[in-house]
Amino acid sequence: MKSKVQKVFQISIILVIILLVSAFVKAEKGSENNLISINLRDVELETALIMLANTADKNLICDSSVKGKITVIFNDIPFENALNLITDSFNLDYSYQKQIIYISTREKMAARNQKFVSKSYKFNNLSSELAAEILRNNFEEIKIINLNSEGLIINCKEKNLKELEKIISQIDQPQKQIMIKARIEEISRTKIKELGINPNQLAELKIIKNDSGNIEKLKPGWPETLKALNEKGLSNILANPSLMTLDRKKAKLVIGDQIPVKLERIESDKTVSTISYIEAGIVLEFLPKIINQNQILLEIKPSVNSIGQILADGLPAVNSRSAETTVILEDGETLAIGGLIKKDELKTVKEIPILADLPLLGSLFSAAKNTDIETELIIFITPEIIESEVRMVQNKITESNNNEINKKINSQKEEIKGEKQNKNNREFKTLTEEELKEIIN
C-alpha cells in the first residue's frame, strides 16, 4: 500500500516538473512597457491565459465559454499584444472592470455592453430640462424621464453609467450671476459748443507739459468731466437702473413706453387687424459671459427709439439710434458708449400780447427763431460678478488663512527685530565717567 502511495507521489512530482519545464516564463519590466516571454505547448486555453496574466501581474477572470487548446511562443512582447493575439485567434473579447480583465466570447461581451440600467438623479443647481438636453447631446442611446423638481430618471447602457455620472457632477454646479449697473447721461452738445469746447474731445485724457518737461496741465477724463458738466447744468442723468442675470443668459432693459400700433392685412377677402407694440425709449440688451474669475465678455446692444411722423399708411416712423459691441471687461470696470447723437429743431416765437394778434399787422409785433439743438446720449455699463454663498465661504476661509500666515510672519519679524534691539542694547550701553577713565588707562 505504501509503495502505491509513493508511486503516486513520485508521478505527481514528475508532472509538476514537466509542466514547469514546458512553460518557460520570463518577465522583463522596461521603462515604458512590461515585456513578457512565454513558451506553452498544447495546454488548455484557460490555463494559458491565467499563466499569461500571472506573468504580467494582472487580475484575470475567464467564463465557461473560454475553451480549447493552444501552443504559443512569445519572446519580449507587451502583455496587451499577447492578449489580443490569443483572444483574436479564438474569437474572444475582453474588458477591464475595476482593474480585473474579464474574458468571454464576443457575442457575450456585446450583450454585456448592451445591458441597460436605470437610475434617478436630482439636481441642486441645474434645471431638469437643461440637464436632459445636455445628456441627450452627449449620449446616443439614452432614455430620460423628466420629473421636473424631483430630477430625472435615466436609462442608459451600463458601460456609460460612470461617464454619465461624471458629466452630471460637472454640470450640476452653482451658476454664477452678474449684476449689470447702467447709467444713462444726456449731454447738450449745443451748449458745450457755445462754451467753445469741442464735445468730441470730452473723453480724452491729456497731459500737457511745459518746456522743462514738468506737467503743467491735466485734462480730466469721463468721471471728472461729467461731474463738471452736471454742476454747470450741461448734462442730465436720464436713468440709473441695475439688473441681475445669470451667466450666459440674455437680459433686456427697457426705459420708456410700449406704443401700440394697429396693423391691418387682408386674408381671404377679409380685413384682419392686429396690435403690435413699438418700444419707444432706451433699450439695452446684454449677453454677459464670465471667462474667468475677474473678466467678463460682454455683448451689448443699446438703442434709443422715438416715434416720428405718421406715414401715408397710418403707421408711425421710428427714429432709432443704436450701437452694438463686444468687449472684455474686468470685474467692476466701466464701459462708456457714446456717439448716440440726436438733432432737434426748436422754434421759438417772441410776441407782444394783443398786438401780435392784430390782423395783417400782427406779424410786425412778433418774431420767430429756429434753433438746432444737438444732444448726445452716453451709456455707462458696469458689470460685477456676484459670488455664490459657497464661493464667499471659500474666500473667507482663504482670507482667514492668509491673515493667520501674515500674523505669523509679522510676529516672526517682531521677534527678529526685538532680538536685534536687544543685541544692539548689549553692544552699545552707556558707561559712567569712572568706567571710561578706567578703560582709557
Side-chain angles (χ1 to χ4, degrees):
M1 182 69 180
K2 290 184 180 180
S3 61
K4 289 184 179 181
V5 173
Q6 290 176 352
K7 286 183 179 180
V8 171
F9 181 71
Q10 291 174 354
I11 292 172
S12 299
I13 293 175
I14 293 171
L15 290 174
V16 171
I17 294 172
I18 293 173
L19 182 60
L20 292 174
V21 172
S22 62
F24 172 75
V25 178
K26 180 179 68 174
E28 296 181 2
K29 295 185 178 180
S31 59
E32 298 180 356
N33 298 317
N34 291 335
L35 303 180
I36 65 169
S37 297
I38 189 169
N39 187 341
L40 302 173
R41 299 181 182 277
D42 196 27
V43 297
E44 293 292 333
L45 177 60
E46 184 178 6
T47 303
L49 290 170
I50 292 173
M51 295 184 67
L52 181 67
N54 187 50
T55 302
D57 293 330
K58 302 288 185 180
N59 301 317
L60 182 139
I61 296 177
C62 298
D63 70 2
S64 58
S65 61
V66 179
K67 296 179 180 179
K69 289 192 175 184
I70 188 172
T71 298
V72 296
I73 299 176
F74 293 141
N75 290 314
D76 297 338
I77 69 170
F79 168 75
E80 292 284 348
N81 292 359
L83 184 61
N84 289 331
L85 288 171
I86 294 176
T87 54
D88 289 343
S89 301
F90 288 86
N91 196 27
L92 300 174
D93 201 356
Y94 65 92
S95 65
Y96 283 88
Q97 298 178 8
K98 297 181 180 180
Q99 298 182 347
I100 298 176
I101 303 172
Y102 175 76
I103 299 180
S104 182
T105 61
R106 290 180 177 174
E107 291 77 11
K108 286 187 177 181
M109 292 296 295
R112 185 183 182 89
N113 292 335
Q114 292 295 329
K115 182 181 178 181
F116 282 80
V117 293
S118 294
K119 196 172 180 180
S120 61
Y121 297 93
K122 193 169 183 178
F123 301 90
N124 298 320
N125 305 289
L126 196 66
S127 66
S128 57
E129 292 81 3
L130 182 56
E133 182 182 354
I134 295 173
L135 295 175
R136 286 193 182 99
N137 293 335
N138 286 273
F139 297 93
E140 294 181 356
E141 298 184 28
I142 187 173
K143 295 180 181 179
I144 298 176
I145 300 175
N146 189 354
L147 302 178
N148 297 322
S149 60
E150 295 301 319
L152 303 174
I153 296 178
I154 300 174
N155 182 268
C156 66
K157 291 181 180 178
E158 187 178 18
K159 67 175 184 178
N160 294 335
L161 190 61
K162 187 175 181 180
E163 184 180 358
L164 183 139
E165 291 179 344
K166 182 180 178 181
I167 291 178
I168 288 176
S169 64
Q170 291 175 342
I171 63 177
D172 189 24
Q173 298 293 331
Q175 282 190 280
K176 293 184 178 180
Q177 298 185 97
I178 300 173
M179 173 70 76
I180 298 177
K181 299 178 180 179
R183 190 171 86 253
I184 302 167
E185 298 243 5
E186 186 177 48
I187 297 175
S188 174
R189 293 172 63 91
T190 302
K191 292 183 179 180
I192 291 174
K193 288 178 181 178
E194 291 175 357
L195 297 176
I197 302 173
N198 184 355
N200 295 326
Q201 297 179 348
L202 288 177
E204 294 182 2
L205 179 64
K206 292 184 178 180
I207 298 175
I208 301 174
K209 297 183 179 180
N210 55 22
D211 296 336
S212 302
N214 298 322
I215 296 177
E216 186 179 61
K217 190 176 181 181
L218 181 66
K219 288 190 175 181
W222 270 123
E224 296 81 6
T225 301
L226 289 175
K227 183 179 179 181
L229 293 176
N230 282 326
E231 292 175 353
K232 296 293 183 180
L234 302 180
S235 68
N236 183 30
I237 298 177
L238 299 182
N240 193 16
S242 299
L243 61 88
M244 186 181 294
T245 182
L246 290 175
D247 178 29
R248 301 177 188 272
K249 292 294 182 181
K250 287 185 177 181
K252 188 175 183 180
L253 183 64
V254 180
I255 306 169
D257 301 319
Q258 287 190 334
I259 300 175
V261 178
K262 185 179 180 180
L263 303 177
E264 295 181 349
R265 66 181 185 275
I266 298 176
E267 293 182 0
S268 303
D269 297 333
K270 292 183 180 180
T271 302
V272 179
S273 299
T274 58
I275 301 297
S276 180
Y277 290 89
I278 298 175
E279 292 178 342
I282 301 170
V283 181
L284 300 176
E285 297 182 34
F286 306 95
L287 178 57
K289 300 176 182 178
I290 299 175
I291 54 180
N292 55 48
Q293 292 182 352
N294 300 314
Q295 288 185 318
I296 303 167
L297 178 69
L298 183 64
E299 298 178 13
I300 178 172
K301 183 180 179 181
S303 61
V304 181
N305 305 323
S306 60
I307 302 299
Q309 297 179 352
I310 302 299
L311 302 179
D313 55 0
L315 297 177
V318 179
N319 302 322
S320 179
R321 292 177 284 170
S322 64
E324 188 172 356
T325 184
T326 302
V327 293
I328 295 178
L329 299 175
E330 297 289 333
D331 184 18
E333 186 179 3
T334 300
L335 167 70
I337 301 175
L340 302 175
I341 301 171
K342 180 182 178 182
K343 294 182 180 180
D344 295 318
E345 184 178 344
L346 178 65
K347 185 177 182 180
T348 306
V349 179
K350 296 180 180 181
E351 59 183 15
I352 299 175
I354 302 174
L355 296 178
D357 297 331
L358 294 175
L360 299 178
L361 299 177
S363 59
L364 298 175
F365 301 97
S366 65
K369 181 182 179 181
N370 293 329
T371 305
D372 291 333
I373 299 176
E374 190 178 72
T375 58
E376 178 179 358
L377 278 182
I378 301 176
I379 301 174
F380 297 90
I381 307 296
T382 305
E384 295 180 1
I385 300 174
I386 305 300
E387 296 284 354
S388 64
E389 293 183 1
V390 175
R391 183 65 180 172
M392 291 175 67
V393 171
Q394 291 176 348
N395 290 339
K396 287 182 180 179
I397 293 173
T398 304
E399 184 178 354
S400 176
N401 293 336
N402 291 336
N403 291 336
E404 290 295 330
I405 294 173
N406 292 331
K407 286 181 180 178
K408 290 181 180 179
I409 293 174
N410 293 331
S411 177
Q412 291 176 358
K413 287 182 178 179
E414 291 295 331
E415 290 178 2
I416 295 172
K417 185 177 179 180
E419 290 177 358
K420 288 184 177 179
Q421 289 178 351
N422 292 333
K423 185 177 180 181
N424 293 336
N425 291 334
R426 289 194 300 269
E427 292 178 351
F428 302 96
K429 61 182 181 179
T430 305
L431 300 177
T432 62
E433 186 176 356
E434 290 76 10
E435 290 174 334
L436 287 172
K437 288 181 180 179
E438 184 180 353
I439 293 172
I440 293 171
N441 294 329

